[in-house]
Amino acid sequence: MHATHPTTLEPIGHIESCYPDKFGIPRQPGLAPSAKAQLVLHAPYNDPLAVRGLDAFSHIWVTFLFHKSPPSWTPLVRPPRLGGNAKVGVFATRATHRPNRLGLSLVELVSINTEGGVALTLSGHDLVDGTPVFDIKPYLPWADGVEGARSGFAPAPPVIRPVCFSQTARTQLNALSDGAAVKALIVEVLAQDPRPAYQHGSTGRVHGVRLSDKDVRFRAFVDDTGRIALEVIDIASGGPT
Ligand code: SAM
């Protein structure tokens, strides 16, 4: 009988993210490069000595808890990539409902601030605000990247949708001092079509997604090339950040 090692993990820090909700977050890191977050380390892990030399690496692995997922799990799950119909083994997926609820994301390390503790600026993440982080490690392309690796039912990034803006939304963007950055994040997130997989073929219904302090309303339509595209109708400011 093998020994079991029940373990208690203590977060080394938490994420302050541009994603207040799970809805709308891209399914993997790197799909929305404009998505920024702060990883704020907690005492005693917020010792600047602990990150000495880390700024020489451009990317890091973040190990975290899917704290917004229930602790329960099932052996079979329905990946959105397969339309939410086909079932595959939980260990053959990156599903959020899994044993121990551990997540792993490769993100870009933008900068490190060691004044009054340690805060890392990250970009291209897929983490909801408040996510507890258990560990970080530098990314080693020669060790972590495998040329020609097979990736099963997810052989390539998701197909992206064209995104356009109504006149109202364009006017609202022009009024923002950070309008270009807000626009870039909206385009990258909506291009992933955050609607539930079973709605991907439908058009007309208005949906909303929160990005930082913005409430973004959008709808799907068929563009003049016959493709499903997403139109941003309205961008309201002032929600909780
Ligand atoms: N890259 C990670 C991995 O492979 O372990 C996460 C992949 S998972 C499919 C990405 C989704 O996790 C996001 O789209 C978001 O909805 C969800 N998510 C992000 N942070 C979470 C959290 N703290 N708790 C629960 N779900 C979370």
Side-chain angles (χ1 to χ4, degrees):
M1 180 66 184
H2 65 283
T4 61
H5 300 280
T7 305
T8 305
L9 297 181
E10 183 186 336
I12 63 168
H14 70 278
I15 293 288
E16 294 175 358
S17 158
C18 59
Y19 301 125
D21 309 315
K22 280 177 39 177
F23 178 73
I25 303 180
R27 300 225 143 268
Q28 285 302 335
L31 297 174
S34 302
K36 291 279 186 301
Q38 290 285 306
L39 167 50
V40 180
L41 297 189
H42 303 162
Y45 311 108
N46 62 349
D47 180 342
L49 294 177
V51 292
R52 180 188 287 177
L54 184 59
D55 56 354
F57 295 85
S58 64
H59 291 72
I60 60 171
W61 290 108
V62 176
T63 303
F64 62 92
L65 180 72
F66 288 118
H67 75 304
K68 298 263 181 183
S69 297
S72 57
W73 66 282
T74 55
L76 288 173
V77 295
R78 300 168 190 268
R81 174 68 77 111
L82 297 176
N85 302 317
K87 287 186 175 182
V88 297
V90 64
F91 298 128
T93 74
R94 297 290 196 99
T96 60
H97 294 47
R98 56 191 317 114
N100 299 314
R101 298 186 293 163
L102 289 179
L104 180 68
S105 288
L106 178 61
V107 298
E108 185 178 351
L109 176 60
V110 177
S111 62
I112 303 176
N113 179 353
T114 55
E115 279 159 42
V118 176
L120 283 61
T121 300
L122 311 176
S123 70
H125 68 95
D126 58 348
L127 307 171
V128 77
D129 195 45
T131 295
V133 171
F134 290 128
D135 200 3
I136 53 176
K137 291 179 183 178
Y139 170 69
L140 304 174
W142 51 272
D144 300 335
V146 179
E147 196 70 32
R150 289 180 295 111
S151 55
F153 66 85
V159 173
I160 61 166
R161 301 254 192 238
V163 177
C164 62
F165 292 76
S166 69
Q167 185 51 57
T168 304
R170 283 200 295 272
T171 307
Q172 290 164 325
L173 278 176
N174 291 340
L176 297 172
S177 57
D178 57 348
V182 170
K183 181 179 181 185
L185 182 60
I186 292 174
V187 169
E188 291 163 11
V189 166
L190 293 191
Q192 303 298 315
D193 198 345
R195 299 173 302 157
Y198 70 89
Q199 289 181 7
H200 277 192
S202 66
T203 61
R205 184 175 161 189
V206 175
H207 299 264
V209 61
R210 290 200 297 158
L211 297 173
S212 299
D213 66 339
K214 304 286 181 297
D215 285 319
V216 179
R217 293 191 316 131
F218 65 96
R219 69 178 179 88
F221 69 102
V222 179
D223 70 11
D224 42 20
T225 69
R227 287 179 305 173
I228 296 234
L230 300 181
E231 179 189 32
V232 178
I233 303 166
D234 182 68
I235 306 167
S237 293
T241 57

